[in-house]
Amino acid sequence: MSAPGDSPRTVALTAAREAGRILLAHLGRVEHVRYKGTIDLVTEADEASERRITEIIRASFPDDQILAEESGASGRPAERRWLIDPLDGTTNYAHAYPFFAVSIALELRGELQLGIVLAPALGELFLAERGAGAFLNGERLATSQTDTLIRSMLTTGFHYQRELILRNLPAFERLLLTSQAIRRDGSAALDLCYVAAGRFDGYWEIGLQPWDTAAGALMVREAGGTLTDGAGEPYRLGADAIVASNGRIHQQLLAGIRGEGGEP
């Protein structure tokens, strides 16, 4: 259990691990599901995980602002802001598909400082600190060396809103034919971590929220990758689209997303 005086890193790790235990305790036994939209669901595990994370952070940093997926913003505007996704991959989780994660990030004056993504069912803990690198279970991460799109394994996601699904389909079709493969696993936080780990060479998605991408974005940057929006500008939390890669295929990936120049 964290205590007043603990570092943000210690507090975030404690919160992520306790949230992970809550998620594992409910896995395969979800009883209560409510819907925020036609297919956008929330389980009791999302809510219990978020409550516990928030309690732990508030115990050590009562004056910090928190932005969490289920409860929104709390606390007055402050130099430090925590961004929390208590269960990224809720649909996966509700079906007992083990690709889901807890995501916790910390901003200082608008700059990401710390990112933690815990995949409790997979036994994987990703951690990044600004200027200090990105790690998986203590081992330093680096993005892949792949330099051509046709040799790249990519990943993407499809939003809960049907109109955003339709917006992404043309890029999906183009890139499916001009890359080695595309996966769609249902967790933006883990997709970004997998780019950082070199498992995926590139990733893109439309319509994500800051809590979806904050920790994973820092992971990619600290592993040596490249992050932009769909226009190729430096990625900012809340942008309409996120594009992440090892850097070597980034322009090819952007071209494929935009449909520029025939084959990207």
Side-chain angles (χ1 to χ4, degrees):
M1 179 65 186
S2 61
D6 283 342
S7 69
R9 182 179 187 271
T10 297
V11 170
L13 284 169
T14 298
R17 286 172 175 141
E18 292 210 17
R21 282 193 283 272
I22 289 169
L23 297 183
L24 289 178
H26 287 270
L27 184 61
R29 292 183 287 276
V30 172
E31 296 179 359
H32 304 291
V33 175
R34 64 179 174 86
Y35 286 84
K36 296 184 284 186
T38 304
I39 58 172
D40 188 2
L41 54 86
V42 181
T43 72
E44 69 266 30
D46 295 73
E47 295 167 335
S49 172
E50 184 167 300
R51 281 195 301 272
R52 191 66 189 120
I53 294 168
T54 301
E55 287 170 357
I56 290 169
I57 291 172
R58 283 271 174 252
S60 292
F61 305 110
D63 297 325
D64 289 1
Q65 188 177 48
I66 292 175
L67 177 63
E69 179 175 12
E70 305 308 334
S71 57
S74 62
R76 285 183 266 181
E79 285 193 335
R80 294 202 311 195
R81 180 172 73 151
W82 296 85
L83 299 107
I84 299 166
D85 192 336
L87 174 48
D88 187 54
T90 301
T91 301
N92 289 346
Y93 181 84
H95 291 269
Y97 180 65
F99 200 81
F100 60 86
V102 178
S103 177
I104 301 173
L106 175 63
E107 277 185 331
L108 176 63
R109 294 186 290 273
E111 292 287 341
L112 289 167
Q113 304 294 316
L114 172 69
I116 291 172
V117 176
L118 172 65
L122 304 176
E124 294 191 329
L125 175 66
F126 295 87
L127 184 146
E129 292 183 274
R130 188 180 182 195
F135 299 84
L136 166 56
N137 293 343
E139 297 292 325
R140 184 178 286 273
L141 297 178
T143 54
S144 71
Q145 300 293 312
T146 308
D147 60 6
T148 58
L149 197 60
I150 196 62
R151 296 287 180 262
S152 295
M153 182 142 94
L154 308 177
T155 184
T156 189
F158 291 95
H159 200 275
Y160 290 112
Q161 295 179 27
R162 300 302 195 186
E163 61 270 25
L164 293 182
I165 293 175
L166 294 173
R167 274 183 57 194
N168 197 25
L169 285 177
F172 182 83
E173 182 178 5
R174 284 190 295 269
L175 288 164
L176 187 62
L177 297 174
T178 52
S179 66
Q180 188 175 69
I182 301 178
R183 300 291 180 257
R184 197 278 194 184
D185 283 320
S187 167
L190 285 176
D191 285 340
L192 286 162
C193 288
Y194 278 29
V195 172
R199 296 172 177 176
F200 291 132
D201 304 298
Y203 161 71
W204 83 99
E205 192 161 347
I206 298 169
L208 294 175
Q209 298 295 327
W211 52 77
D212 294 313
T213 62
L218 184 62
M219 215 74 59
V220 172
R221 288 179 183 137
E222 289 298 321
T226 298
L227 275 168
T228 68
D229 60 20
E233 297 298 319
Y235 177 72
R236 295 288 180 186
L237 294 179
D240 178 61
I242 183 170
V243 184
S245 79
N246 61 10
R248 296 166 177 83
I249 65 160
H250 204 82
Q251 293 307 312
Q252 298 171 68
L253 180 55
L254 283 170
I257 292 167
R258 296 172 185 160
E260 295 175 350
E263 290 190 359

